[in-house]
């Protein structure tokens, strides 16, 4: 039933994604207010930007509420950087602050509970170039690293997105709650139900479909469920 609900989610289109990130500071949300400078919002912005740019699954960027973090999950180690043409595994604060066009974040998705050996969902490095576009994933990852810095020796044992300290991973419920809070502001409570973090993957599948990619190519990284047909995907994307 849960898989069916995810399949039916709307794609998180670029216009809505940018409006989510443009919700102004001070906007009330459940029990708090929006503050894009706070570590939680910096981490969430990066999490959502990676989801949008890479079609990342929620499991690849956050941790289930009842799960214990361990290094093979979403840690800092699989996040490396190309800076001035050189791949850097653990950039310094100064290097990150100097991030510029031509540089890139390199995100390698970790194995998930549903695919522990990376055979189906894919675990190849995803290059996220630095651009000036709003919500750029590499820039958001840079901000997340700077907000909660860790030593090079601790990257493997530190969650990719930790808050409010590096040792506390971003949880599924936090991602879901923050996304819904912003969606309610942007599209209203009723339409907010049409979206989830899975909408990032649906949006990437739709972009590939619009570019003329074959159904088999779209399914290769498992952007949609394996039993979905091209007709079903076209219905979701239109």
């Amino acid at each position: 039933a849960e898989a069916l609900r995810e399949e039916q989610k709307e794609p998180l289109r670029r216009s809505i994604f940018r409006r989510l990130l443009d919700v102004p500071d001070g906007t009330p949300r459940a029990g708090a207010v929006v503050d894009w400078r706070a570590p939680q919002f910096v981490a969430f912005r990066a999490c959502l930007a990676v989801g949008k740019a890479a079609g990342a699954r929620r499991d690849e960027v956050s941790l289930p509420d009842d799960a214990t973090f361990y290094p093979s999950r979403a840690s800092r180690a699989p996040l490396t950087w190309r800076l001035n043409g050189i791949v850097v595994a653990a950039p310094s604060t100064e290097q990150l602050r100097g991030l510029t066009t031509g540089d890139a974040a390199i995100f390698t998705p970790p194995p998930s509970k549903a695919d522990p050996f990376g055979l189906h969902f894919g675990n190849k490095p995803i290059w996220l170039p630095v651009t000036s576009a709003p919500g750029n994933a590499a820039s958001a990852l840079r901000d997340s690293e700077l907000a909660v810095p860790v030593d090079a020796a601790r990257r493997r044992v530190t969650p990719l997105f930790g808050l409010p300290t590096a040792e506390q991973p971003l949880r599924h419920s936090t991602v879901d709650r923050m996304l819904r809070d912003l969606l309610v502001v942007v599209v209203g409570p009723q339409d907010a139900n049409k979206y989830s973090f899975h909408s990032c993957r649906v949006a990437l599948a739709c972009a590939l479909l619009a570019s003329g990619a074959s159904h088999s190519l779209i399914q290769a990284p498992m952007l949609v469920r394996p039993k979905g047909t091209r007709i079903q995907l076209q219905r979701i994307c239109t």
Side-chain angles (χ1 to χ4, degrees), residues 153-170:
R154 295 196 56 79
R155 289 182 73 84
R156 184 164 297 279
V157 295
T158 301
L160 177 61
F161 301 117
L163 53 101
T165 66
E167 288 74 22
Q168 297 175 332
L170 186 65

Side-chain angles (χ1 to χ4, degrees), residues 7-223:
E7 285 181 350
Q8 294 174 336
K9 294 300 182 182
E10 295 287 326
L12 187 65
R13 301 189 187 280
R14 183 181 305 173
S15 58
I16 295 178
F17 169 68
R18 290 182 174 177
R19 288 170 63 194
L20 291 175
L21 300 185
D22 283 341
V23 172
D25 285 341
T27 301
R29 51 182 289 266
V33 296
V34 173
D35 181 1
W36 291 109
R37 293 166 296 182
Q40 185 179 53
F41 277 89
V42 174
F44 173 77
R45 184 186 187 96
C47 174
L48 187 62
V50 171
K52 186 73 172 71
R57 301 174 69 246
R58 187 180 58 172
D59 262 4
E60 294 168 348
V61 292
S62 62
L63 204 65
D65 288 16
D66 59 352
T68 301
F69 174 78
Y70 47 92
S72 63
R73 296 303 292 263
S75 76
R76 289 278 182 95
L79 174 61
T80 58
W81 296 84
R82 187 187 67 182
L83 306 173
N84 295 320
I86 301 172
V87 174
V88 180
S92 66
T93 297
E94 290 73 21
Q95 286 176 309
L96 288 172
R97 286 176 176 162
L99 197 70
T100 188
T101 302
D103 295 337
I106 308 171
F107 170 65
T108 302
S112 67
K113 181 179 179 180
D115 183 26
F117 301 107
L119 299 177
H120 300 291
F121 292 115
N123 60 350
K124 303 300 182 185
I126 299 172
W127 289 63
L128 303 169
V130 175
T131 72
S132 60
N136 174 251
S139 299
L141 284 166
R142 180 267 320 274
D143 294 342
S144 181
E145 289 239 42
L146 291 174
V148 189
V150 297
D151 294 335
R154 295 196 56 79
R155 289 182 73 84
R156 184 164 297 279
V157 295
T158 301
L160 177 61
F161 301 117
L163 53 101
T165 66
E167 288 74 22
Q168 297 175 332
L170 186 65
R171 299 282 181 176
H172 284 184
S173 62
T174 302
V175 173
D176 293 344
R177 184 182 68 253
M178 295 182 73
L179 178 57
R180 171 153 181 96
D181 286 348
L182 294 172
L183 282 166
V184 167
V185 174
V186 169
V187 301
Q190 184 171 351
D191 283 348
N193 295 327
K194 300 177 181 179
Y195 301 91
S196 72
F197 198 84
H198 184 69
S199 296
C200 295
R201 294 176 69 76
V202 178
L204 183 54
C206 289
L208 289 170
L209 181 68
S211 71
S214 67
H215 187 243
S216 59
L217 176 62
I218 294 171
Q219 284 198 327
M222 298 296 283
L223 296 176

